[in-house]
Amino acid sequence: MNKELVIVIDFGGQYNQLVARRVRECNVYCEIYSYKTDLDKIKAMNPRGIILTGGPDSCYAEGAATCSAELFSMGIPVLGLCYGAQMMMFVLGGKVEKAPVREYGKTEVMVDTGSPLFYNVSPATICWMSHNDYISETAPGFEIIAHTADCPVAAVQDQERELYAIQFHPEVLHTSEGSRMLHNFVRGICGCSGNWRMDSFVKESVDAIRRKVGNGKVLCALSGGVDSSVAAVLLSRAVGSQLTCVFVDHGLLRKNEGDEVEAVFGPDGNYDLNFIRVNAQKRFYEKLQGVEEPERKRKIIGEEFIRVFEEEAKKIGSVDFLVQGTIYPDVVESGLGGESAVIKSHHNVGGLPECVDFKEIIEPLRSLFKDEVRKVGLELGIPEYLVYRQPFPGPGLGIRIIGEVTAEKVKIVQDADAIYREEIANAGLDRSINQYFAALTNMRSVGVMGDERTYDYAIALRAVSTVDFMTAESAQIPYEVLQKVTSRIINEVGHVNRVLYDVTSKPPGTIEFE
Ligand code: XMP
């Protein structure tokens, strides 16, 4: 595809992935690179525009993240945001200082709607400010195109050189017309036509996979989660039965999930591929017998998974390609793309490449954000309930059962969780809460049922609102819904006589219990 690329240069700010997502919402393809990336490399990518992100430094401080003045004279439109704006001014001869008044939060900004950056934006518009420094003098050649009560330079432009800088954050939703501003930059100023669409992504990926795979054999570890499902269907669309998907049922899946995955991908399902389901429940339970320590449980489940997969792969013999459902945030967060290097600790398929005899890895979703993966899934005709499935950890219910895992406890937590999910869906909350599940505490307590004393388990319900799963708030579920879930769990699930709702945020809690 003749990709119209916009590059986001990352200075370490917290919203940087969001900038790229918003650009892609304008149907313009966009990639994130660290500010340390060589300028020649950036030039060679021939971007239609460059966006400089926010960052934690002060641009005048020693050792601050910076860029060369040459970036601004390549004839490529540049938009600086927050720190990026200050740095553009600083590097080009303006002045940046500690602000007399620190601006933080929603702020009314007066904009010059004659600027192409603010085309169709209201003259007074609410924007999200977050800065300690401010631009006290613009660089030569620039004119001021926005201000606030406390900030004389909220945006500047040099239309001739196609350089723009704004002090606030258009990428966050609190900036009510921020998407319009980014649209004005990438579609208007950079002149991108907006050819980044999921239907063309599917077509081009299928063609590219076919060219790459030829007559080769492809192996995929299918978990039933969104990423591996979409990757598998894309491969199936491209090479059909040259693809074999191995689905390991470790007995720690949600209720009926194994059968659901089989119904979609198995022989009676919709796709042309070889499907192997390995019913390894017993093996996993045996390995987990008597083990209480969370990290040991995680390790055992991960290692056993690899062992089971290895055995299956051996039966298939040598393959040419191994499919992985890596997505763009994994790439950025593992430090390969941007500056914000958060190393992920959860890698479910980390050990797979070593245990399989293959020539090359295929990562068809490597350039996509999660919401784009979902759009591709819908484009491919994957059922909605699978496409919108909430995240589910690789070790599954193993880390939602505190203490020793047994088949009996798995059944309890599966049944309670199924009721919880059903009632959340009945209340119409299933798309608005980012993750919710039941966990089985290791606590038993006294209760009374009928005339009988009981001594049974407590189920804990968890529900969180989060953007990135790094931090999270406990979701405010209506009390009536919680009561209904509680009464159904107590009545319908054996060995449970108490239901607790977890209101801990992350931090200090984590989302999962182990
Ligand atoms: P925590 O519990 O760390 O969870 O707050 C953050 C997010 O990551 C998911 N999670 C995992 N995902 N393998 C995964 O693929 C894992 O081992 C794992 N542990 C936690 C969790 O469900 C939440 O979405």
Side-chain angles (χ1 to χ4, degrees):
M1 171 167 52
N2 171 23
K3 256 188 200 161
E4 294 173 330
L5 173 68
V6 165
I7 286 182
V8 171
I9 298 192
D10 185 351
F11 289 94
Q14 55 180 323
Y15 305 128
N16 300 345
Q17 285 199 29
L18 214 47
V19 176
R21 277 182 51 186
R22 295 276 174 263
V23 171
R24 295 213 191 162
E25 282 167 14
C26 304
N27 299 112
V28 173
Y29 185 67
C30 168
E31 287 180 356
I32 305 173
Y33 290 93
S34 160
Y35 71 91
K36 293 174 193 147
T37 309
D38 198 52
L39 203 55
D40 286 334
K41 186 175 165 194
I42 300 221
K43 266 194 228 165
M45 289 186 267
N46 198 20
R48 301 290 287 265
I50 294 174
I51 300 179
L52 313 178
T53 73
D57 294 341
S58 277
C59 60
Y60 46 80
E62 207 173 310
T66 189
C67 66
S68 93
E70 204 194 327
L71 181 81
F72 304 107
S73 58
M74 300 193 301
I76 300 169
V78 183
L79 170 65
L81 307 179
C82 194
Y83 180 77
Q86 294 169 359
M87 204 189 39
M88 184 191 292
M89 290 299 95
F90 185 72
V91 168
L92 295 177
K95 212 165 163 190
V96 176
E97 294 177 277
K98 190 156 188 51
V101 181
R102 176 175 185 252
E103 276 187 311
Y104 183 81
K106 287 185 184 176
T107 310
E108 188 178 50
V109 181
M110 268 56 75
V111 306
D112 172 0
T113 54
S115 162
L117 193 59
F118 297 131
Y119 175 68
N120 261 345
V121 172
S122 325
T125 183
I126 298 296
C127 301
W128 184 257
M129 285 284 189
S130 171
H131 62 117
N132 295 318
D133 290 341
Y134 83 126
I135 299 162
S136 54
E137 250 175 59
T138 59
F142 283 84
E143 57 175 320
I144 297 172
I145 50 170
H147 67 277
T148 73
D150 290 316
C151 180
V153 187
V156 293
Q157 68 178 15
D158 178 338
Q159 254 182 287
E160 206 170 309
R161 286 189 285 171
E162 296 187 297
L163 303 179
Y164 298 80
I166 52 187
Q167 180 57 74
F168 49 86
H169 288 277
E171 68 276 23
V172 302
L173 291 177
H174 304 300
T175 298
S176 53
E177 296 176 278
S179 291
R180 156 68 49 194
M181 296 170 196
L182 288 171
H183 191 276
N184 286 341
F185 180 69
V186 295
R187 300 288 293 269
I189 294 161
C190 302
C192 296
S193 64
N195 62 6
W196 169 248
R197 292 182 189 276
M198 289 308 122
D199 52 352
S200 42
F201 174 86
V202 168
K203 189 180 168 317
E204 279 143 22
S205 300
V206 165
D207 290 347
I209 292 167
R210 274 192 194 136
R211 278 196 302 274
K212 187 170 187 170
V213 170
N215 297 322
K217 262 165 99 177
V218 187
L219 179 62
C220 173
L222 183 68
S223 71
V226 184
D227 303 339
S228 71
S229 297
V230 174
V233 173
L234 205 50
L235 261 295
S236 154
R237 178 77 69 93
V239 299
S241 56
Q242 286 164 254
L243 170 70
T244 300
C245 290
V246 174
F247 167 58
V248 177
D249 186 340
H250 52 21
L252 302 164
L253 298 168
R254 285 165 289 205
K255 190 173 181 176
N256 299 333
E257 199 168 11
D259 294 342
E260 281 167 19
V261 172
E262 184 169 347
V264 174
F265 293 98
D268 300 330
N270 304 326
Y271 302 110
D272 180 20
L273 51 84
N274 303 302
F275 177 81
I276 298 174
R277 175 176 177 173
V278 191
N279 287 314
Q281 295 90 330
K282 255 179 120 182
R283 271 178 78 155
F284 281 84
Y285 297 158
E286 270 166 29
K287 288 276 173 197
L288 288 167
Q289 208 173 354
V291 183
E292 295 188 353
E293 211 269 312
E295 277 308 306
R296 241 176 77 63
K297 278 166 40 177
R298 279 176 173 275
K299 242 182 141 195
I300 289 171
I301 297 167
E303 282 172 9
E304 196 59 17
F305 180 87
I306 289 168
R307 218 158 288 148
V308 173
F309 191 83
E310 188 175 23
E311 284 168 21
E312 288 309 313
K314 279 212 178 99
K315 287 184 205 157
I316 297 167
S318 93
V319 293
D320 302 288
F321 301 91
L322 181 69
V323 183
Q324 301 234 288
T326 317
I327 67 170
Y328 197 50
D330 302 332
V331 176
V332 176
E333 282 163 19
S334 60
L336 299 175
E339 189 49 31
S340 25
V342 185
I343 308 294
K344 268 204 161 180
S345 53
H346 314 308
H347 274 289
N348 303 325
V349 287
L352 279 191
E354 286 80 47
C355 82
V356 182
D357 183 14
F358 71 101
K359 291 193 202 115
E360 215 178 314
I361 285 192
I362 301 186
E363 296 175 310
L365 312 176
R366 201 181 153 81
S367 64
L368 302 187
F369 285 108
K370 193 82 177 184
D371 48 337
E372 294 174 318
V373 174
R374 292 204 161 100
K375 281 188 201 150
V376 169
L378 293 177
E379 193 68 44
L380 288 166
I382 300 176
E384 277 203 18
Y385 74 87
L386 246 172
V387 167
Y388 288 103
R389 189 163 261 187
Q390 50 173 322
F392 186 66
L397 301 181
I399 57 171
R400 292 181 182 172
I401 293 169
I402 300 175
E404 189 193 12
V405 175
T406 63
E408 185 204 27
K409 287 182 180 172
V410 169
K411 172 94 174 62
I412 293 175
V413 76
Q414 277 179 338
D415 288 346
D417 183 69
I419 291 171
Y420 187 30
R421 282 190 287 140
E422 200 178 309
E423 291 304 329
I424 290 284
N426 286 344
L429 298 169
D430 50 334
R431 291 273 176 95
S432 58
I433 305 174
N434 304 98
Q435 194 171 3
Y436 52 95
F437 56 84
L440 184 61
T441 72
N442 211 7
M443 182 191 90
R444 289 205 290 167
S445 63
V446 174
V448 56
M449 243 190 190
D451 293 332
E452 302 245 327
R453 176 187 186 277
T454 59
Y455 187 60
D456 273 326
Y457 286 111
I459 280 281
L461 302 177
R462 184 84 165 128
V464 295
S465 309
T466 173
V467 175
D468 53 10
F469 297 88
M470 309 275 188
T471 61
E473 294 295 327
S474 162
Q476 299 200 11
I477 297 181
Y479 204 72
E480 311 82 75
V481 178
L482 289 176
Q483 273 180 320
K484 175 112 194 264
V485 175
T486 302
S487 98
R488 279 197 59 195
I489 290 177
I490 305 267
N491 286 324
E492 296 172 37
V493 184
H495 303 292
V496 177
N497 66 354
R498 214 173 271 273
V499 175
L500 311 169
Y501 187 63
D502 181 358
V503 292
T504 321
S505 59
K506 173 185 177 178
T510 53
I511 295 175
E512 302 292 346
F513 279 52
E514 290 194 335

